[in-house]
């Protein structure tokens, strides 16, 4: 590794710094500008009455990120409820069709290349519109490349005068170049943001937005008993309260492309610990690993203290394939390891069935919290960014959002676990109220989408199939009985 580092340094000294993020953004921006020029002579696919509306769902499926897959699954269920298969022909991007096999029924899956500007340009040209569906839609925290894809797809649709909708996404801190892209290319798109904080960020960039939420709230587990079966196979006696813990690697973001490292990794296997995919790498250093160790040490300390006073059955849950590393590292801090469930071994239906069978949840994954809440699982979060913080504020329990950098994390973990145990009825009641409110918000998103499509395509016969104007709940996909009960209880 030392020799390779020195060689890479010499190349950078010779050619100057290579910012692959900026190169990708410049390429995507150039494609949008060219598409705007081309539109006058070649507008691409244009919807005609009597045909289905061809919509591209632009996201990042295929990484076995359970939350991302669940929210897209529920978007598709909602769109099919609103439009039916006769009015909408849906396609979705996936980085690995093998990992999304069996997901997204009736939707055509398109394999997204790692270098995507030309592919996205050609694909959007063949569609009647784009719905950006990534939760971390406009932020630099995880990967500028991901947000560049979102902006690129929306911008291309907008300049070709097609439907361009960002659905239930979030905006946060962005690098200047990404901010500039959002400001320039998303101003003509309909952006439905999942919280007020995101709307403030977008407003600061001159991009109008509407209020929305996440779309995972309505997820239906086809076999609820599967969660109990998984736990029993792992040694659960069926009586002890189950505590699920969802750790992450909290400090190695964002993922950035590095062509030189990519070439070296391909040739020699160098930087394997930091490698994400293709030319993309996590940010790793001794300092980052020390901070990750402190985060895991804090969870272990608090968990150990809680188990000394509470007899619980603990499981570790990896909501994304990447989380296996953190689950294993946390497990290594205990003499007797806990059962581990990770999304590379279990599909989204199993993962959510498992979470909803638990009694308590401590999670650094936003969607583990969201997907467990409809089942009344008492939960707390340890957050690396604003998402869990915003969710806990929305629930009225901001004290249940801890920070990954908390210097007294062990004591804080013990404190929130005691709260979940001792104040469980009040916590669960607040969770139910929050779920009900977000179901209404998600229904309002459906109203906004349908109204937008009516405005763009007045001849699209939505009203002949779906006439529930004004009622948010009529714009939701079919709900499981427990969600109907929640809505009745909380009005």
């Amino acid at each position: 590794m030392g020799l390779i580092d020195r060689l890479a340094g010499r190349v950078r000294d010779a050619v100057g710094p290579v910012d692959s993020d900026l190169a990708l953004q410049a390429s995507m921006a150039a494609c949008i500008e060219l598409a705007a020029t081309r539109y006058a002579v070649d507008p691409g696919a244009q919807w005609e009455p009597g045909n289905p509306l061809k919509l591209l769902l632009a996201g990042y499926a295929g990484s076995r990120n359970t939350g991302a897959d669940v929210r897209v699954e529920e978007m598709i269920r909602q769109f099919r409820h609103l439009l039916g298969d006769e009015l909408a022909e849906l396609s979705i991007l996936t980085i690995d069709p093998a990992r999304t096999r069996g997901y997204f029924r009736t939707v055509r899956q398109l394999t997204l290349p790692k270098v995507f500007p030309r592919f996205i340009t050609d694909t959007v040209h063949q569609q009647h519109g784009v719905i950006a569906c990534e939760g971390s839609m406009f932020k630099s925290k995880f990967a500028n490349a991901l947000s560049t894809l979102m902006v690129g797809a929306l911008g291309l649709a907008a300049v070709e005068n097609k439907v361009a909708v960002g659905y239930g996404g979030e905006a946060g801190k962005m690098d200047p170049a990404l901010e500039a892209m959002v400001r320039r290319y998303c101003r003509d798109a309909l952006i439905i943001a999942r919280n007020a904080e995101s709307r403030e960020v977008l407003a600061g960039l001159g991009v109008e937005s509407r209020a929305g939420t996440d779309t995972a709230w309505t997820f239906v587990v086809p076999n609820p008993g599967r969660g109990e079966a998984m736990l029993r196979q792992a040694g659960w006696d069926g009586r002890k309260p189950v505590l699920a813990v969802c750790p992450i690697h909290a400090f190695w973001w964002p993922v950035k492309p590095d062509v030189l490292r990519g070439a070296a990794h391909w040739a020699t296997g160098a930087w394997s610990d930091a490698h994400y995919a293709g030319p993309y790498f996590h940010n790793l250093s001794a300092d980052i690993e020390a901070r990750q160790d402190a985060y895991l040490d804090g969870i272990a300390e608090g968990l150990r203290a809680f188990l000394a006073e509470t007899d619980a059955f603990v499981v570790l849950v990896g909501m994304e394939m990447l989380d296996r590393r953190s689950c294993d590292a946390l497990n290594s801090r205990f003499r007797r390891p806990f059962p581990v469930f990770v999304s590379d071994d279990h599909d989204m239906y199993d993962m959510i069935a498992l979470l909803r069978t638990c009694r308590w949840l401590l999670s650094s994954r936003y969607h583990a919290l969201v997907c467990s809440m409809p089942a009344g699982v008492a939960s707390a979060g340890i957050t690396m960014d604003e998402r869990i913080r915003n969710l806990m504020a929305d629930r009225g329990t901001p004290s249940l959002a801890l920070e990954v950098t908390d210097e007294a994390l062990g004591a804080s973990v013990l404190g929130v676990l005691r709260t979940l145990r001792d104040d469980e009825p009040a916590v669960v009641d607040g969770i139910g109220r929050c779920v009900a409110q977000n179901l209404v918000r998600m229904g309002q998103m459906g109203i906004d989408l349908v109204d937008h499509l009516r405005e763009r395509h007045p001849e699209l016969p939505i009203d002949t199939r779906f006439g529930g104007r004004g009622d948010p709940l009529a714009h939701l996909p079919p709900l499981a009985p427990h969600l109907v009960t929640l809505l009745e209880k909380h009005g």
Side-chain angles (χ1 to χ4, degrees):
M1 182 73 77
L3 174 61
I4 295 171
D5 277 331
R6 290 195 296 273
L7 290 174
R10 290 179 183 176
V11 173
R12 287 190 175 90
D13 289 342
V15 302
V18 179
D19 192 322
S20 299
D21 272 339
L22 288 178
L24 183 67
Q25 290 163 352
S27 176
M28 192 73 258
C31 287
I32 298 172
E33 298 292 346
L34 287 171
T37 302
R38 178 180 61 178
Y39 176 69
V41 295
D42 181 11
Q46 297 293 309
W47 179 77
E48 296 180 357
N51 295 316
L53 189 66
K54 296 166 64 176
L55 296 173
L56 174 68
L57 303 180
Y60 200 61
S63 67
R64 274 303 174 104
N65 181 317
T66 302
D69 291 337
V70 165
R71 57 175 270 120
V72 173
E73 178 78 3
E74 292 311 285
M75 283 184 206
I76 291 168
R77 284 212 312 130
Q78 187 179 28
F79 299 160
R80 294 184 69 232
H81 169 67
L82 298 175
L83 302 174
D85 293 333
E86 68 274 18
L87 294 189
E89 181 181 306
L90 302 178
S91 300
I92 189 169
L93 301 177
T94 176
I95 63 170
D96 189 341
R99 292 176 180 157
T100 49
R101 188 175 295 120
Y103 288 7
F104 317 136
R105 187 167 60 91
T106 76
V107 179
R108 184 168 64 115
Q109 298 191 20
L110 306 175
T111 304
L112 177 71
K114 292 180 174 63
V115 181
F116 53 76
R118 176 61 186 270
F119 173 83
I120 290 296
T121 302
D122 293 342
T123 302
V124 171
H125 198 58
Q126 299 163 6
Q127 304 287 319
H128 302 137
V130 165
I131 298 181
C133 52
E134 172 60 34
S136 298
M137 197 168 293
F138 307 120
K139 54 172 54 178
S140 295
K141 179 67 177 180
F142 296 102
N144 277 330
L146 181 57
S147 290
T148 300
L149 171 63
M150 298 297 102
V151 177
L154 290 171
L156 286 163
V159 299
E160 291 192 343
N161 197 31
K162 297 175 178 179
V163 171
V165 177
Y167 204 72
E170 193 152 318
K173 185 176 180 181
M174 289 173 264
D175 293 343
L178 181 59
E179 279 192 346
M181 287 191 72
V182 174
R183 182 183 292 110
R184 181 173 179 84
Y185 297 121
C186 293
R187 61 179 181 266
D188 294 324
L190 170 64
I191 307 298
I192 305 177
R194 71 182 176 191
N195 52 54
E197 293 80 3
S198 294
R199 297 190 69 194
E200 291 177 6
V201 172
L202 292 169
L205 299 177
V207 177
E208 294 186 6
S209 63
R210 298 186 188 179
T213 183
D214 198 80
T215 56
W217 303 103
T218 55
F219 187 73
V220 176
V221 175
N223 182 10
R226 175 63 180 149
E228 180 176 332
M230 293 167 66
L231 289 169
R232 287 187 180 276
Q233 289 170 5
W236 181 49
D237 63 6
R239 297 187 301 273
K240 289 182 181 179
V242 180
L243 166 61
V245 180
C246 301
I248 60 171
H249 198 306
F251 302 98
W252 65 352
W253 306 97
V255 169
K256 287 183 173 290
D258 189 318
V259 175
L260 295 176
R261 280 191 179 187
H265 175 76
W266 177 81
T268 69
W271 291 295
S272 293
D273 286 348
H275 185 240
Y276 177 69
Y280 295 92
F281 290 83
H282 289 284
N283 187 19
L284 274 185
S285 67
D287 176 63
I288 286 172
E289 289 298 88
R291 285 187 280 164
Q292 175 69 4
D293 283 341
Y295 156 77
L296 294 175
D297 287 343
I299 296 176
E301 176 189 336
L303 186 55
R304 197 175 289 112
F306 182 70
L307 292 176
E309 60 187 42
T310 307
D311 190 16
F313 185 79
V314 177
V315 295
L316 305 185
V317 178
M319 291 288 284
E320 185 171 1
M321 294 190 306
L322 296 172
D323 296 343
R324 181 176 293 280
R325 173 173 173 166
S326 299
C327 288
D328 290 344
L330 180 57
N331 238 350
S332 70
R333 286 159 166 79
F334 294 87
R335 284 185 295 179
R336 183 173 299 175
F338 304 119
V340 175
F341 300 90
V342 183
S343 62
D344 52 0
D345 287 337
H346 302 280
D347 64 24
M348 61 182 174
Y349 305 105
D350 280 359
M351 295 294 287
I352 305 309
L354 174 72
L355 288 176
R356 291 183 178 178
T357 309
C358 298
R359 183 166 176 179
W360 304 314
L361 170 66
L362 178 68
S363 176
S364 287
R365 282 283 180 187
Y366 171 83
H367 275 106
L369 296 163
V370 169
C371 292
S372 70
M373 285 170 58
V377 178
S379 58
I382 310 175
T383 186
M384 60 180 279
D385 64 6
E386 65 277 358
R387 292 171 301 159
I388 291 175
R389 199 178 305 122
N390 292 342
L391 176 63
M392 291 298 164
D394 194 34
R395 275 174 33 175
T397 54
S399 62
L400 294 182
L402 308 180
E403 302 292 329
V404 296
T405 53
D406 185 347
E407 293 184 358
L409 184 58
S412 298
V413 164
L414 176 59
V416 297
L417 290 177
R418 283 172 170 169
T419 297
L420 299 184
R421 180 195 63 198
D422 299 341
D423 300 336
E424 184 175 352
V427 172
V428 171
D429 186 68
I431 286 172
R433 188 180 306 106
C434 181
V435 172
Q437 292 169 347
N438 278 287
L439 289 172
V440 174
R441 292 170 189 165
M442 184 174 164
Q444 181 60 50
M445 289 169 62
I447 292 176
D448 290 342
L449 177 64
V450 167
D451 287 348
H452 182 66
L453 293 179
R454 285 191 183 106
E455 180 183 345
R456 295 301 304 266
H457 298 296
E459 295 175 289
L460 188 69
I462 298 176
D463 286 325
T464 62
R465 185 188 178 281
F466 179 78
R469 286 195 184 199
D471 180 4
L473 300 185
H475 289 72
L476 292 173
L479 300 180
H482 66 276
L483 291 181
V484 175
T485 300
L486 273 180
L487 285 168
E488 291 173 349
K489 177 179 179 180
H490 297 286

